[in-house]
Amino acid sequence: MVTAIIDDHKMIAEAIKSCLLSQNVASEIFTFNSAQLFFDGIDPENLPGIIITDLLMPGTNGVELLKAYQEFFKSKNKKEYKLIVLSTISDPQTVKMAMRYGADAYLSKESTIEELIEAIHECMRGNKYIGTKLRTNIINNFISDEQIVYHLSPREKDVLQLICSGNTIKEAAYKMNLSVHTVKSYYKNIMKKFNVNRTSDLIIFAVKNGFYQINS
């Protein structure tokens, strides 16, 4: 089975490739450091039957990434493929969202290679698979069902969506027809409300808490 591994951390992608090849899980494995490199570089005559992908990478993230894979394979008239998410994002809401929008399996990057192989086999049998640790989180979340409400103004929501979609503050300002200073002010307000200090943490927080979703 031809397999593609897509992760912006090259060392992780190559390590997974080596392990899967040594276990004879796949006949051929290609690695890509971004979804765009995958779309541009994969051979249309040798499309993978299995995609193992990170969920949070520069450019396209979250549900938009899952939709992009679906559109790509649809354009190539390939219907049979399995999409496995391997991510550091492990909150129940993101896991359920990913499964709802096309993922056949979802595992934490803390999972073992043995569990990844198990997930591949389950997917090939036509089953869905959620990592063992993540299942526990989902059950606990279902039981507690606690949610913190964070209020963002309409402008702050617009800025958040653009930032999560990979835009810089300058690009967001251009698209919103606002000054860079104004957008930067909105951005700082969001960071303060979410109690984060880096853009990467902001994106993870937005995904975890449902602020960055499909068609948003």
Side-chain angles (χ1 to χ4, degrees):
M1 175 69 70
V2 177
T3 300
I5 300 172
I6 306 167
D7 196 301
D8 57 325
H9 295 93
K10 186 175 182 179
M11 186 179 295
I12 292 177
E14 291 297 333
I16 295 172
K17 174 181 177 179
S18 178
C19 290
L20 295 183
L21 287 175
S22 67
Q23 296 293 322
N24 296 316
V25 177
S27 59
E28 193 172 11
I29 300 179
F30 299 97
T31 61
F32 302 91
N33 297 134
S34 73
Q36 193 58 55
L37 288 175
F38 167 77
F39 297 138
D40 294 339
I42 195 68
D43 181 2
E45 302 300 323
N46 196 28
L47 293 174
I50 299 173
I51 296 179
I52 301 171
T53 182
D54 195 352
L55 195 64
L56 186 61
M57 293 183 288
T60 306
N61 298 302
V63 170
E64 287 187 359
L65 179 59
L66 300 181
K67 288 180 63 183
Y69 288 131
Q70 294 172 24
E71 290 298 322
F72 174 79
F73 282 108
K74 183 178 180 181
S75 69
K76 304 300 181 183
N77 295 315
K78 181 178 177 64
K79 298 179 181 180
E80 296 298 324
Y81 66 95
K82 302 299 179 181
L83 183 58
I84 298 174
V85 173
L86 188 61
S87 177
T88 56
I89 304 176
S90 58
D91 67 285
Q93 185 176 5
T94 300
V95 175
K96 290 185 284 187
M97 181 178 64
M99 300 297 283
R100 186 179 301 123
Y101 291 110
D104 295 287
Y106 196 116
L107 293 93
S108 165
K109 281 191 174 180
E110 296 179 4
S111 302
T112 63
I113 193 66
E114 288 77 17
E115 185 170 27
L116 175 58
I117 293 173
E118 179 184 356
I120 292 172
H121 289 323
E122 285 297 316
C123 289
M124 296 310 296
R125 295 187 190 106
N127 301 321
K128 298 284 186 177
Y129 187 94
I130 296 177
T132 304
K133 180 179 179 180
L134 302 181
R135 285 177 237 157
T136 302
N137 290 344
I138 291 174
I139 292 172
N140 291 337
N141 178 261
F142 176 78
I143 293 173
S144 62
D145 196 27
E146 295 179 353
Q147 184 177 8
I148 300 174
V149 177
Y150 299 88
H151 174 73
L152 296 181
S153 71
R155 282 296 196 185
E156 288 171 343
K157 289 179 181 179
D158 290 340
V159 170
L160 180 61
Q161 300 310 308
L162 289 170
I163 295 299
C164 287
S165 298
N167 293 275
T168 64
I169 290 178
K170 184 176 181 180
E171 290 168 340
Y174 176 79
K175 291 181 179 181
M176 296 178 67
N177 196 27
L178 297 172
S179 70
V180 172
H181 175 77
T182 299
V183 172
K184 186 176 293 185
S185 177
Y186 286 131
Y187 172 78
K188 289 181 178 179
N189 287 341
I190 299 169
M191 298 281 278
K192 184 176 180 180
K193 288 180 179 181
F194 289 173
N195 193 29
V196 296
N197 298 312
R198 300 180 302 177
T199 299
S200 58
D201 294 332
L202 176 67
I203 295 172
I204 291 173
F205 187 95
V207 172
K208 283 184 176 181
N209 290 277
F211 286 100
Y212 183 60
Q213 298 180 6
I214 188 171
N215 294 328
S216 57

